[in-house]
Amino acid sequence: MDEYRIRVRIYAGVVITVFLILGVRLAQLQLVGPAGESAASANAVRERPVEAARGAIYGRDGTLLADNRPSYTIMLTPRYFDPSKVPLLANLLGVPDSTVQRKLEEAREWSAFRPSRSFRGVSFETFSRVQEHKYELPGVSHEIELRRRYHTTAHATHALGYVREIGDATLARLKDKGYRPGDYIGKTGLEKSYESALRGERGSEFVLVNVRGTEVMPYRNGNQDESPTGGYDLHLALDHQVQALAESLFVGKRGAAVALDPDNGEIISFVSKPDFPPSLFSRSVSDTAWDSLQSVRSDPLYNRATRSGFPPGSTWKPFMSLVALETGQITKNERLDCPAGYRIGRRIFKNHGGQDEGMITVQKAIEVSCNTFFYKVMDEMDLGTWHRWANEFGFGKKVPLDIGEQAAGLIPDSSYFDRMYGRWTEGYTINLGIGQGDMSTTPLQLARYAAALGNGGTLVSPHFVRKMVHPQTGNVRRPDVPPPEQIPIDSAHFATVQQGMRRVMTDGTGRWVQIPGIPSAGKTGTAQNPHGEDHSLFIMFAPYDDPEIAIAVAVENAGYGATAAAPIASLMAEQYLKGEIADEWMRQHWIQRLRDSVRSAPPKGFGGGSPEDTAAPSSPPDRINTEAPSDASPDTMTTASAARRNE
């Protein structure tokens, strides 16, 4: 009997010892040991990412242009979702049962155990209804995301850009930088260029979940949560009032306008039309809607300010004047003939309407926009010289800029003509003297050129961002703007050309668009176009003596430079310099006329659709144009004797 009791006691002791060891080890794994904590976290603790606030964007005067608003997302975790609850969830969301079933399958394909963003952008009311029934919906959770919100009437679509859900290819490339499926990323404009500064750093919240996948409570009272760090705010040079005015004047038109500060290259306004409201992407955009936006013939996604190539037309004549003066081909007071036509071989290149100005100086040639004067200058100028100086002015190459999507334009040299035509003569290049033929420039390049004409030869680096400021730390970062370049032309020659451009505004084709009380200088241009109506162009700077703004405007298929592009630029300059448009008949007439009457005509071959529906090719015209078009003063304000003047 004693032996039996001893055996029982030994057996009981062994069992107790084993259970004690197992209990101690279990406690160690669950409560103390890091491996146990990790395993427990994987089973009972869910990490919920907390999106960082994307940096806000401010305008020139500190006006808030864009910030963020909350957007509610319902998430599904298939492993824990009860299929019998499909009708309930569908009813709460206001969608068919089949939609919930489809979203559930999509989530399961991604991961059965991880929450998927299944219903994005639901209203607060819908979100609240789901939350009220949360206890009945295992496997249903939520996330509060941030979407862009815009605060002014200015779109500035191609400047600001937009954010959109990250694609598979981009995600694969940027996965190591912390991006995950469903994240939003800057796709164009400043949103793309400054993505790393705007984005911030995501945080994390840890919550306990039960076996049904329902969140129960914060893990360890939130002591292990990591707060997100918001992105930097961008402070721009963009003037939202000038921008909004310019956009309103482009109604029914295709084209672009760029305004710069001639002193430092800050971009005051940046218009590309047609466009779309950037708020379009502040909500979920279906594939169908996206495809529709891309297929519109006028292509509102296309950045015409930096990518459209226009022959500069007569806006090129100040450039020709400067090169001729600097190289000694002409002098300030030298007079050249401005006959009705200029002969090259058997072909005669004409002034519009056979106009003969007689012997004139270079300033007068700019004022009256004498084609034959500049035909002669080009005829006597070596093509290599012309090409080299065009490069000095920044043409034929991309402009330093803090957004991408640029075209370099076309500035041909002899190798280009050899490649394109084999044998060629002066007849192929003579039109380059008046900004026609085989050449193209972008509105951004023309604005930079206008700034250089105004400031006396400094080629500034255009840029939008003045500074980046972190809203939490106050840390300030400055953009890396390339230093300006000096065009090696005597300042006296710039003064001569500036005087000629001033005469355009007082006595030439720009006299109808002078800014009340503010002297300015400008040059109209009408670029011939084989695809339809001519393009309207204008460059200007103001005030004349100490320029604060330089502008280039190009309006596709809108005709004369003085009747479309010039008034747009003049009104933009007045808004910037004076803060308002004068309540005078002439100025208000221009606003009404531009909004109600002036339109971009359909290009050839596209029928008679509305301006918003027509395509907008911008290819250079034929290599030889025997007659450059003139400008017309607005017929509602002029007499017959002043109806037409050469550009």
Side-chain angles (χ1 to χ4, degrees), residues 46-47 75-78 107 110-118 139 141 180 215:
R46 175 183 296 163
E47 180 183 1
M75 309 178 76
L76 298 179
T77 307
W110 162 244
S111 173
F113 294 89
R114 298 173 63 185
S116 262
R117 297 181 177 102
S118 298
S141 57
R180 61 193 181 101
E215 295 178 1

Side-chain angles (χ1 to χ4, degrees), residues 365-440:
I366 294 172
E367 175 198 329
V368 301
S369 201
C370 176
N371 292 332
T372 51
F373 183 101
F374 291 101
Y375 285 143
K376 179 175 177 60
V377 171
M378 186 66 207
D379 192 24
E380 297 179 357
M381 185 179 295
D382 176 69
L383 180 60
T385 299
W386 178 90
H387 180 271
R388 184 173 65 256
W389 280 106
N391 287 163
E392 288 280 0
F393 276 80
F395 295 107
K397 52 188 177 181
K398 293 183 178 181
V399 176
L401 185 66
D402 45 4
I403 63 172
E405 306 167 339
Q406 269 199 73
L410 173 62
I411 299 296
D413 57 10
S414 59
S415 65
Y416 167 86
F417 285 104
D418 290 342
R419 184 172 64 256
M420 293 296 293
Y421 307 114
R423 296 179 60 187
W424 53 279
T425 64
E426 292 90 341
Y428 286 71
T429 61
I430 193 74
N431 273 330
L432 299 178
I434 61 166
Q436 298 281 176
D438 286 31
M439 67 177 300
S440 67

